[in-house]
Amino acid sequence: MKANASPISVADYCSAMQDKKIIVNSDYQRKDGLWNAPARSFFIESILLEYPIPKMFVYAKLDLKTRGVVKEIVDGQQRSQALMLFYENKLALSKNIETEELRGMKYNKLTDEWKTKFLSYQLPVDQFSGVPEDEVREAFRRMNANNVPLNAEEQRNARYQGDFKWFVNRTAENYKENLLALGLLSRRDLIRMTDLRLYAEIALTLDEGFVTVKGAQLDKLYRKYNADFDTAPVFEEKIAYGINFVIGNDVLHESVLLRMHVFQSIVMAVIALRYNEEYERQAHESFPEVSALVDQHGYTLEVLISALQEPEDFPALTNFIRSCSEATNTAGARAVRFLYFKKALSQLG
């Protein structure tokens, strides 16, 4: 069974919804309210910036009561509701969206240029027509069955729509090209949102210190700052300082350092050298023997890089090497990596 492409402007789509010519069929759609205001704002901003959006599906059928054709939304209810809310001046865009001049705006406050972009945007709609309803339901089932399962970061990004989620997303957007160019991230990392975990784990360390990182810890952090994230400017300043330092120093671009968990530890070491961080004291107190060993020998960054490149040649650094290659997300491994990198970075001229 084939659905025919029937693109339609936002203006015509919303007008048809107002006239009940496009309606929601609850047999296909989930319950209302799954998208909150920040998620709707992000979607509307994408429309205004003329980014592509996922395809929507409708089913055209004859309504015997009105003796006219009615189109039921098969897939796209949440997007349709967001469009209508903004179209009818019932949705103000979030103050956290990326486009500064659009923050807090309702449709009627937009300039004519922005209104034109919104109303003329061509929605990618495919239409089923002239087919039995049970075949449409089967097509909808197959569309959902064929979807690639969401990974942990995609699920987290969909589940939480508050301040912290958008902070992580903004940070990812700011650094994606730089870290892609370095080779730390791949195109697949960006598409599947695995890069979001990097920034969330850095924020987790700033918030709680060195803990073993599992999904539950990250979920807890997203929940903690879901409604309000007043410390976002502080986190943003520190994270930006750490990442920009790495980007700007060629000596830190060796391939053995460009693994997400190693990169994260280097960023935390850079932040600790600039700011008085509680997690540094925690690392020294939790691992006094490692701390004493690091202070005694003061291995340089060049030595640490060589140890990761040729581990068999550096038996004295077995603890450090293991922290970079085994159980890398445990509290111990994260703290040990940090201690070694902080000492090494403190010796850079």
Side-chain angles (χ1 to χ4, degrees), residues 10-297:
V10 167
D12 290 341
Y13 190 86
C14 290
S15 178
M17 287 194 71
Q18 286 182 324
D19 294 339
K20 306 300 182 185
K21 293 180 180 178
I22 296 179
I23 61 174
V24 172
N25 184 333
S26 58
D27 289 344
Y28 304 117
Q29 299 298 310
R30 296 170 294 184
K31 293 181 180 180
D32 293 349
L34 294 182
W35 278 16
N36 62 10
R40 289 169 175 159
S41 291
F42 185 76
F43 173 70
I44 297 299
E45 183 191 27
S46 297
I47 294 286
L48 289 165
L49 296 177
E50 300 178 318
Y51 283 109
I53 64 170
K55 189 177 292 185
M56 302 162 72
F57 290 85
V58 298
Y59 173 38
K61 57 187 294 188
L62 182 64
D63 184 348
L64 297 179
K65 291 183 179 179
T66 63
R67 302 179 185 180
V69 174
V70 172
K71 298 178 181 179
E72 297 179 341
I73 300 171
V74 177
D75 189 43
Q77 175 183 328
Q78 302 300 322
R79 284 163 283 171
S80 299
Q81 289 178 336
L83 289 169
M84 282 302 296
L85 286 170
F86 193 68
Y87 182 80
E88 295 179 337
N89 296 310
K90 297 177 181 177
L91 172 67
L93 298 180
S94 168
K95 294 181 180 179
N96 291 322
I97 59 175
E98 295 171 16
T99 311
E100 187 172 352
E101 64 181 292
L102 295 176
R103 293 173 184 170
M105 300 292 280
K106 290 187 176 181
Y107 170 79
N108 61 355
K109 298 297 183 182
L110 295 177
T111 64
D112 288 348
E113 181 181 359
W114 284 116
K115 287 179 180 177
T116 300
K117 286 185 177 183
F118 177 69
L119 295 176
S120 62
Y121 184 93
Q122 294 293 304
L123 297 169
V125 177
D126 275 13
Q127 178 174 299
F128 297 104
S129 57
V131 295
E133 191 167 346
D134 61 338
E135 290 189 21
V136 176
R137 277 195 288 267
E138 175 62 13
F140 179 69
R141 185 187 71 81
R142 287 176 177 270
M143 282 190 290
N144 284 305
N146 288 331
N147 285 338
V148 177
L150 299 181
N151 62 33
E153 300 316 310
E154 291 169 323
Q155 291 181 40
R156 196 170 288 116
N157 194 66
R159 188 182 315 127
Y160 300 103
Q161 299 296 334
D163 289 356
F164 185 77
K165 174 255 182 78
W166 296 110
F167 167 79
V168 171
N169 276 261
R170 286 196 306 274
T171 305
E173 182 65 25
N174 288 340
Y175 292 107
K176 67 180 183 181
E177 296 301 332
N178 291 109
L179 300 189
L180 191 64
L182 282 180
L184 178 75
L185 300 178
S186 67
R187 292 288 179 189
R188 180 173 176 78
D189 290 328
L190 301 181
I191 292 171
R192 297 306 306 272
M193 297 184 174
T194 52
D195 59 320
L196 300 184
R197 186 179 181 108
L198 169 67
Y199 309 109
E201 288 191 7
I202 292 174
L204 179 64
T205 307
L206 289 172
D207 195 63
E208 293 189 30
F210 294 107
V211 297
T212 297
V213 182
K214 296 181 179 179
Q217 281 70 37
L218 294 177
D219 285 340
K220 179 182 175 183
L221 185 65
Y222 273 78
R223 285 195 301 271
K224 179 178 179 179
Y225 293 119
N226 195 49
D228 191 10
F229 189 27
D230 287 341
T231 55
V234 176
F235 277 54
E236 184 173 6
E237 176 188 332
K238 293 179 178 180
I239 292 174
Y241 178 77
I243 294 178
N244 287 330
F245 184 93
V246 177
I247 292 173
N249 283 271
D250 292 345
V251 69
L252 297 173
H253 299 173
E254 291 287 340
S255 59
V256 290
L257 303 181
L258 295 176
R259 305 176 210 167
M260 285 201 199
H261 60 282
V262 175
F263 175 87
Q264 179 192 125
S265 295
I266 295 173
V267 169
M268 301 315 303
V270 171
I271 293 172
L273 284 168
R274 173 69 180 271
Y275 303 92
N276 183 24
E277 295 297 327
E278 175 65 19
Y279 62 79
E280 179 179 359
R281 183 189 63 78
Q282 177 201 57
H284 286 293
E285 291 182 354
S286 299
F287 299 92
E289 293 182 1
V290 173
S291 180
L293 187 64
V294 169
D295 287 338
Q296 178 184 355
H297 293 285

Side-chain angles (χ1 to χ4, degrees), residues 304-320:
L304 297 185
I305 292 172
S306 297
L308 293 177
Q309 292 171 333
E310 302 291 341
E312 293 181 359
D313 294 342
F314 294 86
L317 284 170
T318 298
N319 199 13
F320 167 72

